[in-house]
Amino acid sequence: EPEVTQTPSHQVTQMGQEVILRCVPISNHLYFYWYRQILGQKVEFLVSFYNNEISEKSEIFDDQFSVERPDGSNFTLKIRSTKLEDSAMYFCASSEGGAASNEQFFGPGTRLTVL
Amino acid sequence: AQRVTQPEKLLSVFKGAPVELKCNYSYSGSPELFWYVQYSRQRLQLLLRHISRESIKGFTADLNKGETSFHLKKPFAQEEDSAMYYCALMESLMDTGRRALTFGSGTRLQVQP
């Protein structure tokens, strides 16, 4: 069964550094998402992406964040200058699209640790 | 703004006992409600959604619009049901077109032998 994959599984970085988190959504899916979960807190929506552009974003997704689909398979989340509070588990998800097919399939997550 | 509340952080039951994981929501329109489950060291996966009205792994959930609830129930818990359970809401696509999921804080279910 196809799955969403994410790399790396764990990323450690210094405050102020740029990080890129990578995701490969399920191949026939049209919508892509990033969520994050700070330790002990809720899973929070960051951004959704459709047709090569951001379709919605939350207040968390400020100018430090960007997303890209550089080719036909990868979907990336870039944090330009990491802060300590960016430490979290980042989940990528994808869905087919359409009102009857909006189940979101999640990747295993990337644990980001900012020192 | 929409909100999902799961009042219990931890629910511990014995094998064979009934389980009810509570979920309440606030949203002015007609939301779509989901239950996601995360077993130890595994990814979040969809357990069930209210529009499909299915029973998955013996679990059911009924959307009660009057009480704005979507509680998850199972009559006889099994040890393999031990996991983290998240209730999630999606706004009506017809109203807003938004697909973002709003999650509750999760309930850890522990089923003891």
Side-chain angles (χ1 to χ4, degrees), chain A residues 7 12 44 85 95 106 114:
Chain A
T7 54
V12 181
E44 301 172 290
E85 53 266 35
S95 64
F106 282 79
V114 182

Side-chain angles (χ1 to χ4, degrees), chain A residues 6-19:
Chain A
Q6 290 185 243
T7 54
S9 55
H10 192 187
Q11 173 92 47
V12 181
T13 190
Q14 295 289 327
M15 192 169 57
Q17 295 296 303
E18 174 184 286
V19 294

Side-chain angles (χ1 to χ4, degrees), chain B residues 17-57:
Chain B
V19 167
E20 183 178 50
L21 300 167
K22 293 189 178 359
C23 172
N24 288 88
Y25 67 90
S26 62
Y27 175 61
S28 55
S30 295
E32 189 166 350
L33 275 296
F34 304 82
W35 276 100
Y36 277 82
V37 61
Q38 189 172 31
Y39 299 102
S40 180
R41 297 192 187 85
Q42 294 188 28
R43 64 187 67 202
L44 274 166
Q45 54 187 281
L46 181 67
L47 181 61
L48 52 79
R49 55 201 297 184
H50 89 269
I51 61 169
S52 60
R53 296 178 164 271
E54 293 174 299
S55 171
I56 306 291
K57 299 184 179 183

Side-chain angles (χ1 to χ4, degrees), chain A residues 3-4 31 33 35 37 42-43 45 56 91 95 97-100 102-104 106-108, chain B residues 3-4 32 34 36 38 43-44 46 49 51 86 90 93 97-101 103-105:
Chain A
E3 289 185 328
V4 176
Y31 288 84
Y33 312 84
Y35 292 83
Q37 186 176 30
K42 295 184 179 188
V43 176
F45 169 76
E56 54 182 307
F91 295 105
S95 64
N102 57 8
E103 176 183 349
Q104 294 183 23
F106 282 79
Chain B
R3 186 184 301 169
V4 176
E32 189 166 350
F34 304 82
Y36 277 82
Q38 189 172 31
R43 64 187 67 202
L44 274 166
L46 181 67
R49 55 201 297 184
I51 61 169
Y86 294 94
M90 183 184 295
L93 281 177
R98 296 189 69 232
R99 295 174 181 269
L101 286 170
F103 283 87
S105 51

